[in-house]
Amino acid sequence: MSEVKRGYVRPLDLKHGRVDMTHGSGGRAMVQLISELFTRHLGNAYLGQGNDGAVLPAAVLNGKPARLVMSTDCHVVSPLFFPGGDIGCLSVHGTLNDVAVMGATPLYLAAGFILEEGFALAELACIVESMARAAHAAGVPVVTGDTKVVERGKGDGIFITTTGVGVLPDGLELGGARVRPGDVVLVSGSMGDHGVAIMSQRENLSFEASIESDTAALHGLIAQLLATGADIRCLRDPTRGGLASTLNEIAGQSGVGMMLHEKAIPIKPVVAAACEFLGLDPLYVANEGKLIVICAAADAPRLLATLRAHPLGVDAAVIGEVMADEHHFVQLTTAFGGRRIVDWLAGDQLPRIC
Amino acid sequence: MSEVKRGYVRPLDLKHGRVDMTHGSGGRAMVQLISELFTRHLGNAYLGQGNDGAVLPAAVLNGKPARLVMSTDCHVVSPLFFPGGDIGCLSVHGTLNDVAVMGATPLYLAAGFILEEGFALAELACIVESMARAAHAAGVPVVTGDTKVVERGKGDGIFITTTGVGVLPDGLELGGARVRPGDVVLVSGSMGDHGVAIMSQRENLSFEASIESDTAALHGLIAQLLATGADIRCLRDPTRGGLASTLNEIAGQSGVGMMLHEKAIPIKPVVAAACEFLGLDPLYVANEGKLIVICAAADAPRLLATLRAHPLGVDAAVIGEVMADEHHFVQLTTAFGGRRIVDWLAGDQLPRIC
């Protein structure tokens, strides 16, 4: 079954080879996969320790022990490669962003891979390289990992679960329960790009202008927002379920209502057209590199300016206000002067979007 | 598609219900699954924060910032339920043990669930309850999580990826590269129980005596070993690939050889018989609640006594010694006075064992 002999190991065939069950067995084939693929691309001093876990420095900020933030995200996106990204960089960005929206500086990532027997090693290599580039660009190393293989037909190519750990400065408290009537709701850019990019790829649609996923790491942008000292109540990245589901969740946690203004919500014309065609509401479509900022009204102008000064926030906008509402409704004033309730996503608009 | 209406939500049918795609959508069905199942069983103050990540206290030991240990493990065991355990408790024990063998005290767990459409909610509930019991017994909370759903035929019921974070005392350095010639190799109990329990269940075999998985959390036992102050070089839990693969890995990392004594390695007669029947070598079979301890020879007696005094170590034994060997061979003196090389597992003896 294995081509591995004591003293001589044939290198992985990264061009034509495929994942087989031995790559998950705990034996030499697994060690080879890890060293020739995972460690080769993701390698760093922590991952190189080669033990069951990574030993990491104490988590301090300004010389003092800092609170930790921990977040985990399973990535099952289909297709694995899409305009603007792939499951590899997505699995880095998604988890980094979940740590960063808590106000924390992400420090470390762990990555767990569930591979399907028969998955092309060439695709796996592309994905791991993409993870490595994203982790390197973000300055956050993958310090530990695990690889399992399941039989053909018991998985779907590759699933990646990433877990992030970061440090949170003293005194900083962000969260869905801190929003108050009178606060202002901003977004960092156009809504729906990621989900529409995936759906277009999946449905094999082409539009006049290409639609790319917005997948990106937001912690740099978030650091600049926090550095302003503005009174930020809550940050969120509106992924699955989109803007609508995320705002409903926050409204429920804080016991408030919200009024959004349809005309103010940035949506690219090509995304709006694609949504029309696909029967999607862009407010429910996933984003992977966008930020919701809810802040005290007085601080909205300078946060908007800070967002717009950053490459990931050039299309930022104020999109609505928080108000008292015992029903915790999120409402929308439409372009025609009407008003409608923007409810939770009830069914499943977009499966396996991230 | 969804039975959820504004203002009234029918409770999850935990008896006859099944996972559907809406449970992974980011909408209300997912929120319901999380609150009625995950939070209900795993609930704690951290998980209850309800944000994208959990905010955790600073990691300190004796008032000082402590180094962190981070480890992640994907669990794809099949079948999901087996004698002595299930994927739920296994996913807690497996990751806690990986943190603990580094010498760290496990503090927090994150859990990511990849569910297959159609998976019975009743089984999911059993698994989550088992996780909750294991986490509670270990004193380590699940502080954050994620749930994704894939279409029928694109998964296999449930995969669980857990990530653990712990704190490591100053000055404690354990690792596969610290082993020296003259050191002694101990194991905490009988080898092969977990793997044989799984294989017997999978092959629908019954033996006269029942074979149960040894799945257990080892951090309590490890704390007692560390408290002796003995010179422990390395701790490992011999999971996938079993004792043989783990010792080969350590031998390679430290650049040493090992000589094991077949008669000294504890193997239950029923497990040995089952291995004979199944064509397995128990030295390559996974364990999920056993510990390898490699220590300075002078400290072996008191570590053996400490192991035997603990419920998880009553069958502990000294099984061999470390020696200089430029080939880094792990060898075995057989019961008949012969000698053979215990090589890496090359093929795939036991797929999806954990």
Side-chain angles (χ1 to χ4, degrees):
Chain A
M1 204 160 169
S2 167
E3 303 166 334
V4 177
K5 288 198 180 59
R6 183 116 217 159
Y8 173 73
V9 180
R10 190 185 295 187
L12 275 185
D13 179 358
L14 289 175
K15 203 162 168 191
H16 302 294
R18 295 194 171 271
V19 170
D20 66 44
M21 297 303 291
T22 68
H23 291 124
S25 66
R28 198 177 282 182
M30 190 177 86
V31 173
Q32 188 187 14
L33 181 74
I34 291 169
S35 72
E36 293 183 24
L37 218 163
F38 292 105
T39 313
R40 179 173 155 210
H41 295 298
L42 296 168
N44 57 68
Y46 304 120
L47 195 61
Q49 292 167 2
N51 289 305
D52 282 349
V55 176
L56 308 165
V60 293
L61 272 175
N62 307 317
K64 289 193 307 179
R67 290 176 298 166
L68 300 178
V69 165
M70 189 173 182
S71 187
T72 197
D73 226 333
C74 305
H75 295 88
V76 300
V77 64
S78 174
L80 300 172
F81 299 89
F82 46 81
D86 56 67
I87 191 173
C89 62
L90 187 69
S91 72
V92 170
H93 297 152
T95 294
L96 286 187
N97 291 346
D98 283 345
V99 171
V101 295
M102 302 301 299
T105 305
L107 295 181
Y108 309 114
L109 283 171
F113 298 86
I114 298 174
L115 307 176
E116 184 188 9
E117 182 187 14
F119 187 58
L121 289 175
E123 286 190 68
L124 179 59
C126 283
I127 289 164
V128 174
E129 284 175 54
S130 172
M131 283 188 85
R133 275 194 304 273
H136 183 78
V140 182
V142 175
V143 298
T144 191
D146 187 36
T147 307
K148 293 279 161 47
V149 179
V150 296
E151 302 87 343
R152 209 180 287 262
K154 301 293 187 185
D156 197 14
I158 181 170
F159 301 139
I160 305 177
T161 300
T162 44
T163 307
V165 166
V167 281
L168 185 63
D170 270 358
L172 182 59
E173 304 290 345
L174 305 176
R178 295 192 62 256
V179 172
R180 306 274 172 276
D183 287 351
V184 165
V185 182
L186 300 91
V187 294
S188 66
S190 59
M191 293 286 107
D193 299 6
H194 174 74
V196 170
I198 298 282
M199 291 305 287
S200 304
Q201 175 87 353
R202 212 184 278 169
E203 305 290 330
N204 212 2
L205 300 178
S206 61
F207 297 96
E208 273 179 53
S210 75
I211 301 175
E212 293 211 336
S213 166
D214 56 356
T215 183
L218 293 166
H219 59 305
L221 174 58
I222 290 171
Q224 296 197 2
L225 295 174
L226 295 173
T228 64
D231 191 356
I232 300 172
R233 316 289 198 194
C234 175
L235 298 172
R236 284 284 171 86
D237 55 331
T239 56
R240 263 187 299 180
L243 181 69
S245 300
T246 307
L247 290 181
N248 267 283
E249 192 180 334
I250 297 170
Q253 289 177 330
S254 286
V256 297
M258 296 184 193
M259 182 63 71
L260 310 180
H261 309 293
E262 189 168 36
K263 274 193 290 196
I265 300 172
I267 297 171
K268 290 178 181 161
V270 63
V271 169
C275 281
E276 189 84 26
F277 186 83
L278 292 162
L280 301 173
D281 180 339
L283 300 189
Y284 293 87
V285 175
N287 310 276
E288 290 290 344
K290 296 291 158 46
L291 195 61
I292 299 173
V293 181
I294 306 184
C295 66
D299 286 330
R302 63 174 162 146
L303 288 173
L304 183 63
T306 305
L307 284 166
R308 287 187 172 166
H310 192 282
L312 294 175
V314 286
D315 297 323
V318 170
I319 63 163
E321 308 84 41
V322 178
M323 51 190 202
D325 178 355
E326 57 175 322
H327 302 293
H328 315 155
F329 285 149
V330 176
Q331 299 183 66
L332 184 82
T333 58
T334 68
F336 308 104
R339 191 182 273 201
R340 67 175 171 94
I341 288 176
V342 179
D343 202 353
W344 282 91
L345 178 65
D348 182 30
Q349 200 184 23
L350 293 173
R352 299 188 57 187
I353 211 71
C354 59
Chain B
M1 204 159 169
S2 168
E3 302 167 338
V4 178
K5 288 198 180 58
R6 183 116 214 158
Y8 173 73
V9 180
R10 190 185 296 186
L12 276 186
D13 179 357
L14 288 176
K15 204 164 166 189
H16 303 293
R18 295 194 170 269
V19 170
D20 66 43
M21 296 302 291
T22 67
H23 290 124
S25 66
R28 199 176 282 183
M30 188 177 88
V31 173
Q32 188 187 13
L33 181 74
I34 291 170
S35 71
E36 291 182 26
L37 218 163
F38 292 104
T39 313
R40 180 174 154 210
H41 295 296
L42 297 169
N44 55 68
Y46 303 120
L47 195 62
Q49 291 168 3
N51 289 306
D52 283 347
V55 176
L56 308 165
V60 292
L61 273 175
N62 307 319
K64 289 194 306 179
R67 289 176 298 165
L68 300 178
V69 166
M70 188 173 185
S71 187
T72 197
D73 226 334
C74 305
H75 295 87
V76 300
V77 65
S78 172
L80 300 172
F81 299 89
F82 47 81
D86 56 68
I87 192 173
C89 61
L90 186 69
S91 72
V92 170
H93 297 151
T95 294
L96 286 187
N97 291 347
D98 282 344
V99 171
V101 295
M102 302 299 300
T105 305
L107 294 180
Y108 309 114
L109 284 170
F113 299 86
I114 298 174
L115 307 175
E116 186 189 6
E117 183 187 15
F119 187 58
L121 289 175
E123 287 190 67
L124 180 59
C126 284
I127 289 164
V128 175
E129 284 175 54
S130 172
M131 282 188 86
R133 275 194 305 274
H136 184 76
V140 182
V142 175
V143 299
T144 191
D146 187 36
T147 307
K148 292 280 160 47
V149 180
V150 296
E151 304 88 343
R152 208 180 288 261
K154 301 292 187 185
D156 196 16
I158 181 171
F159 301 139
I160 306 178
T161 300
T162 45
T163 307
V165 166
V167 281
L168 184 63
D170 268 358
L172 182 59
E173 304 292 344
L174 304 177
R178 294 193 62 257
V179 172
R180 304 276 171 275
D183 287 352
V184 166
V185 182
L186 300 91
V187 293
S188 66
S190 59
M191 292 290 104
D193 299 8
H194 174 75
V196 169
I198 298 282
M199 290 305 288
S200 304
Q201 174 87 353
R202 211 184 278 170
E203 305 291 330
N204 212 3
L205 301 178
S206 62
F207 297 96
E208 275 181 49
S210 75
I211 302 174
E212 293 210 336
S213 166
D214 56 356
T215 181
L218 292 166
H219 59 305
L221 174 58
I222 290 172
Q224 295 196 1
L225 295 174
L226 295 174
T228 63
D231 190 356
I232 300 173
R233 317 288 197 192
C234 175
L235 298 172
R236 282 287 169 85
D237 57 331
T239 55
R240 264 188 299 180
L243 180 68
S245 300
T246 308
L247 290 181
N248 268 283
E249 193 179 334
I250 296 170
Q253 290 177 331
S254 286
V256 297
M258 296 185 193
M259 182 63 71
L260 310 181
H261 307 294
E262 189 168 34
K263 275 193 290 195
I265 300 172
I267 297 170
K268 291 179 181 161
V270 64
V271 169
C275 279
E276 189 83 26
F277 185 84
L278 291 162
L280 300 173
D281 181 338
L283 300 190
Y284 293 88
V285 174
N287 311 276
E288 290 290 343
K290 295 292 159 44
L291 195 60
I292 297 172
V293 182
I294 305 183
C295 66
D299 286 332
R302 62 173 163 149
L303 288 173
L304 183 64
T306 305
L307 284 165
R308 288 188 172 164
H310 191 282
L312 293 176
V314 287
D315 297 322
V318 171
I319 62 163
E321 307 85 40
V322 178
M323 51 191 201
D325 178 356
E326 59 175 321
H327 301 294
H328 315 156
F329 284 150
V330 176
Q331 300 184 66
L332 183 80
T333 58
T334 67
F336 308 105
R339 191 182 272 201
R340 66 175 171 95
I341 288 175
V342 180
D343 202 354
W344 283 91
L345 177 65
D348 183 28
Q349 200 184 26
L350 293 171
R352 298 186 61 186
I353 211 71
C354 58

